[in-house]
Amino acid sequence: MMALTALLLVLPSACRDAADGGQAGGDVEWPLHGRTETAQRFAELDQIDRETVSRLGLAWSFDLETDRGQEATPIMVDGVLYVVSAYDVVSAIDARTGKGLWTYDPEVRAASARSCCGPVSRGVAVAQGRVYVGALDGRLIALDAKSGKPVWETQTIDPSGPFAVNYTITGAPRVIKGNVVIGNGGAEFGVRGYVSAYDAATGELAWRFYTVPGKPGTKDSAASDAVLAKAQGSWAGQWWRYGGGGTVWDAIEYDPALDLIYIGTGNGSPWNHQMRSDGKGDNLFLSSIVALRASTGDYVWHFQQVPGDAWDYTATQNIVLADMEIDGRPRKVLMQAPKNGFFYILDRATGEFLNATAYVPQNWAKSIDPKTGRPDIVPEARYYRTGKPHFQFPSSGGGHNWPPMAFSSRTGLVYIPAQDVGMPFGPNPQEAQVIGAYTSGVAMSGGGAMSAADRKALYDSMKARLIAWDPIARKPRWTSEEAAPFNGGVLATAGGLVFAGNAQGRLVAYDDESGKRLWSFEAQTGIVAPPISYRLDGVQYIAVMAGWGGGWPLTGGVMALKAGKTIGPNRLLVFKLDGAAKLPAFTPAEPLPFPDVVDKGTPAQIAQGDGLFGRFCLRCHGSGAVSAGAYPDLRRTGLLGTKGFSQVVLGGALAEMGMPSFAGQLTPAQVDAIDAYLVRRSLEDRRIEAQEGRKQTR
């Protein structure tokens, strides 16, 4: 089956690699986010293979002066690596030696507080002597590739909108037919999604497509006007008051032969379907793949994966293009493993649904209709109707999140960094939209209502694996179990290897046919970014950004601690055969001791603080207030039970260090409730730590 499948894959990227000397020793670049327009993240390079990978060593490293998450795909063009670190700091680096050539800082630290998932970026675009980066504060910036000097910048966010301050950009731009195409994020903060195209030479807006309808009776004068007039019937209530959501924060790909741009859209704003749309309607184009005409942004087709999404089941995970035979018929397909746990294959020319198969355990849908692709949702999952919580798989973190999967033309397999994590979804009808505040309409908990034993049982049940998925047989060829959820993106190569980083801080090379681990490297920090490969002067290199962080699935709680101490120096790591460079010795910092605090607050106040922590604090400071990331562990801060806590949360005393003021979003009484909850959590875990210490000394 493997050989037959490989023969059926007619892949333009592989042909192009052979033509440009992919196997003849010429230089091979990584010029696009997914390497080629098929976005398969497959390198047609085999100097590093199953036999030689044991000789792989560090060629050089480049320090990134931040302890926040590193998510970017490096771009290598003309012997230069272009990377973007946390806070959107762009660097150009000699791809042979690791020498820094220039650095550009857009100074976005003040905007970092409005990001749901940290001050991260997934990459830049490089074309015609310019480097394009989307900044966290909404600017699209063009830099001169040789000097790093700004050429132009434009604000992609309408500052007059009611929720304008809540938009962010964390995704990588794409340069398509002379335009720079970029989306945005912020659905949990009450925004309306759209994708825009700007002239790559001037920065002028070429077209814009909104993904959800605006207020009835208003007109956007955008490419989406006609289709959204029809889509408005799939909405109810006063959705526009909440923004609607549907942000395009990552997945954007292009097929030049069809002249189609494919965008993956995000969740609703808020998640709760009842709050957002009176519990009615499919809510187009949430959780969908939408095809647009590249030149104009005009709508061509769409496929919605989760009608009436109420679980943050985004379709923003990376999209892979390939040509293959499905049911005896050659097809131009796109493939995606989105959050909802099903692996989808669509005809990318027409949008026709071909099939969907669960790639991780899920309990929200009984089945997927084989003709329409519409899910049969279990009644218990509709918490907004039952009024009861439903412990559901996957969680809002998804069976697969943004770390990109890869597709190998050698094996015909898709390699998915998957995870098996559940969470309770329950209604929170008391939650009101607060401008600038995270609003889901779901009962968020900081974890305080759970006993220590229940928390341990929950986190122990969390699993993760690298899945080698056969898209023809619609089942795994092999799986590799990982220590903890949320591992790095994937690279496949012609050398019979699959490379992926993990939460334990290792970059690993797997046999692409068996999953056997053939090589690994201790990176001193967790790796969530995807590796790339390139060749210069006959030498093949592997490069990856190393740095743990990027939102609550990473910084959060015992989920991250399952992998051990994952926070260390952030670097760009580059490897080659017989590389002999060494990383400096590193000893992880020991956690601060628990402070001496006195229990405070009534049970009702502590329960209120638990919910408020879940809504306002958890995404940075971790579930159960256990932080394994770069953000402070609030169980251990000396500010607990003091006036200093309120001075930070409401007064902005640490604003310059990235901790925003919540004045206008939280009242002093609510801050005191959060403080009471954290004091209780600190005392609980201090007691557990003391008990474990006594056991170890016996």
Side-chain angles (χ1 to χ4, degrees):
M1 172 62 80
M2 184 194 309
L4 176 60
T5 302
L7 287 172
L8 292 173
L9 301 173
V10 184
L11 303 171
S13 63
C15 298
R16 189 156 51 244
D17 286 333
D20 71 9
Q23 296 303 315
D27 291 350
V28 177
E29 299 180 332
W30 192 286
L32 303 177
H33 190 62
R35 186 173 177 273
T36 69
E37 286 161 336
T38 59
Q40 294 171 2
R41 295 183 174 268
F42 178 77
E44 194 70 40
L45 297 170
D46 62 4
Q47 184 181 88
I48 302 168
D49 61 19
R50 294 167 179 161
E51 303 301 323
T52 62
V53 71
S54 61
R55 295 165 41 206
L56 194 62
L58 186 67
W60 52 264
S61 63
F62 182 86
D63 288 347
L64 304 167
E65 295 181 0
T66 171
D67 58 359
R68 297 299 189 251
Q70 302 299 327
E71 300 186 359
T73 296
I75 300 295
M76 200 289 281
V77 176
D78 292 334
V80 178
L81 281 162
Y82 298 94
V83 300
V84 56
S85 179
Y87 300 108
D88 303 324
V89 176
V90 184
S91 296
I93 305 160
D94 188 300
R96 294 174 174 85
T97 67
K99 178 184 177 182
L101 303 176
W102 55 257
T103 296
Y104 169 79
D105 186 348
E107 299 181 352
V108 298
R109 283 164 179 78
S112 64
R114 69 199 204 199
S115 172
C116 85
C117 305
V120 297
S121 175
R122 294 179 195 94
V124 299
V126 180
Q128 298 179 340
R130 291 182 180 174
V131 180
Y132 301 92
V133 62
L136 202 64
D137 59 9
R139 286 175 294 159
L140 179 63
I141 305 169
L143 307 173
D144 180 84
K146 291 194 176 298
S147 67
K149 302 293 184 183
V151 178
W152 57 256
E153 69 174 51
T154 186
Q155 179 53 257
T156 70
I157 297 165
D158 179 1
S160 65
F163 300 107
V165 70
N166 301 330
Y167 282 97
T168 53
I169 296 177
T170 57
R174 299 339 192 243
V175 178
I176 300 170
K177 295 190 72 173
N179 288 329
V180 186
V181 182
I182 190 70
N184 46 54
E188 284 76 19
F189 295 85
V191 306
R192 181 187 179 203
Y194 57 85
V195 64
S196 308
Y198 294 87
D199 186 289
T202 66
E204 294 183 3
L205 180 66
W207 55 258
R208 175 168 291 172
F209 184 93
Y210 287 90
T211 59
V212 299
K215 184 178 180 179
T218 62
K219 190 175 181 180
D220 300 313
S221 298
S224 48
D225 283 354
V227 71
L228 287 184
K230 300 177 182 178
Q232 185 172 303
S234 69
W235 291 76
Q238 295 183 325
W239 71 88
W240 61 91
R241 294 176 54 220
Y242 295 96
T247 49
V248 184
W249 53 263
D250 200 17
I252 303 172
E253 300 303 342
Y254 175 59
D255 184 333
L258 298 174
D259 191 35
L260 292 180
I261 295 175
Y262 307 100
I263 61 172
T265 68
N267 54 278
S269 173
W271 300 357
N272 189 317
H273 194 205
Q274 185 67 41
M275 285 181 63
R276 184 179 71 239
S277 186
D278 288 347
K280 301 173 184 177
D282 288 352
N283 293 180
L284 295 173
F285 295 105
L286 298 182
S287 302
S288 302
I289 294 176
V290 184
L292 307 176
R293 190 64 61 197
S295 302
T296 61
D298 290 337
Y299 166 90
V300 179
W301 60 255
H302 80 276
F303 175 79
Q304 188 174 46
Q305 296 169 352
V306 188
D309 173 49
W311 309 279
D312 190 20
Y313 285 165
T314 64
T316 51
Q317 289 58 55
N318 70 304
I319 295 169
V320 169
L321 313 182
D323 295 352
M324 62 177 61
E325 189 171 296
I326 304 289
D327 297 329
R329 178 181 170 187
R331 294 274 197 170
K332 294 182 177 296
V333 305
L334 63 78
M335 299 181 284
Q336 188 187 47
K339 276 190 184 181
N340 73 20
F342 288 90
F343 186 92
Y344 289 83
I345 302 181
L346 307 180
D347 185 303
R348 70 176 186 270
T350 65
E352 179 186 353
F353 170 76
L354 299 178
N355 59 64
T357 310
Y359 64 91
V360 292
Q362 64 81 31
N363 66 348
W364 68 276
K366 296 178 183 177
S367 62
I368 302 291
D369 187 292
K371 293 184 179 180
T372 66
R374 192 176 181 89
D376 182 4
I377 300 174
V378 302
E380 296 81 4
R382 299 189 190 276
Y383 59 87
Y384 53 90
R385 292 180 183 171
T386 67
K388 299 177 180 179
H390 182 239
F391 199 90
Q392 191 161 306
F393 292 84
S395 72
S396 64
H400 169 226
N401 208 292
W402 67 264
M405 64 187 190
F407 175 68
S408 170
S409 60
R410 211 191 72 81
T411 63
L413 300 177
V414 182
Y415 301 93
I416 310 169
Q419 55 204 14
D420 185 7
V421 179
M423 69 173 280
F425 288 90
N428 186 7
Q430 286 76 39
E431 183 175 328
Q433 176 74 60
V434 178
I435 293 178
Y438 190 103
T439 302
S440 67
V442 173
M444 292 284 191
S445 168
M450 301 174 67
S451 69
D454 286 344
R455 273 197 300 273
K456 184 176 186 304
L458 172 61
Y459 288 115
D460 285 349
S461 70
M462 295 176 176
K463 301 176 182 178
R465 61 189 66 89
L466 179 63
I467 301 175
W469 183 264
D470 187 330
I472 303 297
R474 299 171 62 179
K475 62 182 181 181
R477 180 76 58 80
W478 55 259
T479 63
S480 175
E481 300 301 317
E482 304 297 330
F486 232 100
N487 296 290
V490 185
L491 163 72
T493 76
L497 299 172
V498 172
F499 289 88
N502 62 36
Q504 288 183 295
R506 304 195 76 86
L507 179 65
V508 181
Y510 304 81
D511 184 304
D512 64 0
E513 293 183 4
S514 69
K516 180 180 179 181
R517 298 185 182 214
L518 302 177
W519 171 90
S520 70
F521 178 84
E522 174 55 62
Q524 300 180 346
T525 184
I527 299 175
V528 291
I532 68 164
S533 188
Y534 60 92
R535 184 168 62 203
L536 289 171
D537 308 323
V539 177
Q540 182 185 355
Y541 296 87
I542 306 292
V544 68
M545 302 278 280
W548 188 247
W552 72 263
L554 300 180
T555 61
V558 187
M559 184 191 300
L561 288 176
K562 284 186 69 172
K565 296 177 180 179
T566 59
I567 296 299
N570 288 6
R571 300 184 176 102
L572 171 65
L573 304 174
V574 178
F575 304 86
K576 67 178 181 178
L577 294 182
D578 303 318
K582 302 291 183 183
L583 294 179
F586 170 72
T587 302
E590 291 297 322
L592 294 173
F594 287 104
D596 290 322
V597 291
V598 178
D599 204 1
K600 58 179 281 190
T602 65
Q605 187 183 31
I606 291 170
Q608 180 192 23
D610 183 3
L612 290 168
F613 179 91
R615 181 181 181 188
F616 290 91
C617 316
L618 180 146
R619 68 181 186 272
C620 289
H621 294 285
S623 56
V626 180
S627 177
Y631 298 90
D633 187 323
L634 296 184
R635 300 168 306 156
R636 299 175 182 271
T637 174
L639 296 174
L640 289 184
T642 73
K643 293 181 180 179
F645 187 80
S646 180
Q647 290 170 352
V648 169
V649 178
L650 293 181
L654 297 180
E656 291 185 0
M657 299 177 65
M659 170 61 194
S661 167
F662 284 83
Q665 300 177 39
L666 291 168
T667 67
Q670 289 174 322
V671 172
D672 195 47
I674 295 173
D675 188 23
Y677 160 73
L678 291 171
V679 166
R680 176 64 60 85
R681 287 289 301 115
S682 180
L683 289 169
E684 287 175 345
D685 288 358
R686 180 178 184 174
R687 190 178 308 116
I688 292 171
E689 185 179 84
Q691 291 171 349
E692 292 177 348
R694 285 195 292 270
K695 290 178 182 178
Q696 292 172 1
T697 58
R698 288 175 185 169

